[in-house]
């Protein structure tokens, strides 16, 4: 903000939402909802039409058969995750959070009175945890495991056999619920995306599948997410939501319904653009001295290790590196520390290729010591 006010040319590569407009037919559905005065509360758990669209989507795309009473629509997947933490965790309960993690998980766990237990996944292991690491992290206090595939911030995606291997461990611990955050499902080009509950059907009774409209349909501001899971958990989450926010925005629910039931070409086209950008950004990041970057299988993020580059520019931490980069070049990135992975940074490619190229050139010059900005 300050730099912008000073007239500096700031390039923001720290955003977590697609740089595409919401599809026209989705916006029209919202306008139609307003025109027909569809502007009052819906049932707390969501409109019947949207829940039917979600059930059909889960069946069609994820091979998951959820009856409507096992689906809860919320004001974003973030609220779905938070509802789940409040419903599942008591004081002192542990929740396993693989790192690098989406920034909100550990704080949500703490806000619900629980203790996040961080399991570090390294770049060498594709930023994914394996069965041994999972087993080592489980204690008698463990109540919840977060999984996020494809992952914000690394873009890592678990294959079916990798999910099944984690599932085998979890078979032994019936008190552990699984929250599978699948919000980047449609922004993926690696292997085929697989839902955790599809890979581990025997764990369906304690898996909460979370998804939402923000990423796949470029609808972050509409605030619609949803969760599907075991009936007692969905009921508890619905009670919590009932006393905190009631139903999600009715007009947005009509829009979400149109997105899920309408033409899906938009989703495919957007994903193609993200994949093209991914390939270009990956190549250019790899060319920056001291940047080591593994490819992503999905999302619109890359997560290079910058330890050698930090040394090169004399930055003690990734936070300092990002601050100095911003001061010197106007490029904003999120330091890996925010995601539980110091020595990295997250590059979002939810920006046009022109903007990305300029930002990458500035980053390169900053690290190479030839900054001209
Ligand atoms: N889960 C992950 C992994 C995310 O990256 C985000 C948003 O950045 C969310 C959930 C929140 O999505 P929503 O906009 O539906 O609340």
């Amino acid at each position: 903000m300050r730099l912008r006010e000073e007239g500096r040319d700031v390039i923001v590569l720290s955003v977590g939402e697609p740089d595409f407009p919401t599809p026209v037919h989705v916006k029209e559905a919202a306008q139609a909802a307003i025109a027909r005065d569809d502007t009052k509360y819906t049932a707390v758990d969501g409109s019947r039409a949207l829940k039917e669209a979600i059930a059909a989507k889960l069946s069609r795309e994820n091979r998951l058969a959820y009856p409507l009473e096992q689906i809860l629509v919320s004001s974003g997947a973030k609220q779905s995750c938070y509802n789940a933490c409040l419903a599942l965790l008591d004081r002192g309960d542990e929740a396993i959070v693989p790192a690098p993690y989406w920034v909100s998980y550990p704080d949500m766990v703490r806000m619900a009175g629980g203790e996040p237990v961080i399991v570090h996944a390294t770049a060498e292991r594709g930023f994914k945890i394996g069965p041994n690491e999972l087993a080592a992290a489980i204690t008698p206090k463990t109540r919840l495991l977060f999984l996020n595939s494809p992952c914000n911030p690394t873009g890592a995606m678990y294959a079916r056999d990798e999910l099944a291997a984690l599932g085998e461990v979890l078979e032994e611990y019936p008190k552990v619920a699984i929250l599978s955050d699948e919000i980047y499902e449609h922004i993926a080009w690696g292997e085929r995306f697989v839902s955790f509950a599809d890979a581990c059907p025997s764990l369906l009774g304690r898996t909460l599948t979370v998804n939402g409209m923000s990423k796949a349909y470029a609808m972050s501001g509409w605030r619609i997410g949803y969760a599907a899971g075991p009936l007692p958990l969905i009921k508890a989450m619905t009670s919590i939501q009932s006393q905190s926010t009631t139903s999600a925005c009715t007009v947005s629910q009509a829009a979400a319904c149109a997105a899920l039931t309408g033409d899906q070409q938009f989703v495919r086209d957007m994903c193609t653009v993200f994949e093209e950008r991914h390939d270009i950004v990956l190549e250019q990041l790899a060319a920056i001295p001291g940047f080591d970057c593994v490819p992503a299988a999905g999302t619109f993020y890359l997560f290079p290790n910058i330890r050698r580059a930090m040394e090169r520019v004399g930055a003690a931490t990734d936070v300092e590196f990002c601050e100095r980069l911003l001061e010197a070049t106007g490029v904003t990135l999120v330091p890996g520390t925010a995601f539980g992975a110091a020595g990295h940074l997250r590059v979002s490619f939810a920006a046009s290729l022109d903007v990305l190229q300029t930002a990458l050139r500035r980053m390169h010059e900053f690290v190479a010591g030839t900054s001209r900005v």
Side-chain angles (χ1 to χ4, degrees), residues 15-17 74-81 101-105 108 147-153 179 181-184 210-215 219-226 299-301 339 346:
V15 288
E17 58 189 349
S74 298
S75 302
K78 184 177 258 184
Q79 189 184 23
S80 309
C81 293
Y101 47 69
W102 179 43
V103 290
S104 295
Y105 299 143
M108 282 182 183
L147 284 177
N148 174 215
S149 170
C151 169
N152 174 8
L179 190 162
D181 180 343
E182 305 182 354
I183 196 154
Y184 290 95
V210 171
N211 209 323
M213 314 307 296
S214 292
K215 319 293 173 177
M219 291 177 68
S220 43
W222 299 75
R223 308 309 302 129
I224 298 291
Y226 55 89
T299 73
F300 34 81
Y301 311 112
F339 309 97
R346 190 189 73 175

Side-chain angles (χ1 to χ4, degrees), residues 98-103 106 118-121 153 303 318 335-344:
Y101 47 69
W102 179 43
V103 290
I118 310 300
V119 178
H120 292 277
F303 199 62
D318 53 338
T337 296
F339 309 97
H344 294 75

Side-chain angles (χ1 to χ4, degrees), residues 22-23 25-31 33 36 38 46-55 57 60 73-76 211-214 216-220 222-226 248-264 267:
T22 302
H25 68 281
V26 174
K27 293 191 276 202
E28 285 172 354
Q31 284 156 352
R36 66 173 181 268
D38 204 353
S47 73
R48 187 173 178 91
L50 177 55
K51 289 184 40 157
E52 279 172 352
I54 292 167
K57 177 260 180 251
R60 181 178 71 237
V73 176
S74 298
S75 302
N211 209 323
M213 314 307 296
S214 292
Y217 300 95
M219 291 177 68
S220 43
W222 299 75
R223 308 309 302 129
I224 298 291
Y226 55 89
C249 169
T250 303
V251 173
S252 297
Q253 289 192 57
C257 193
L260 289 174
T261 55
D263 188 353
Q264 301 297 301
V267 184

Side-chain angles (χ1 to χ4, degrees), residues 125-187:
R125 302 276 313 274
F127 288 123
K128 294 184 253 191
I129 62 163
N132 295 340
E133 291 146 299
L134 173 60
I138 297 176
T139 76
K141 290 187 187 168
T142 309
R143 291 289 169 275
L144 180 60
L145 164 69
F146 283 87
L147 284 177
N148 174 215
S149 170
C151 169
N152 174 8
T154 62
M157 183 162 71
Y158 286 80
R160 181 179 291 276
D161 59 334
E162 293 169 329
L163 294 174
L166 297 179
E168 246 176 67
V169 173
L170 292 161
E171 293 280 359
E172 308 293 318
Y173 300 96
K175 287 191 173 161
V176 182
I178 303 97
L179 190 162
S180 180
D181 180 343
E182 305 182 354
I183 196 154
Y184 290 95
E185 162 184 20
H186 285 299
I187 306 176

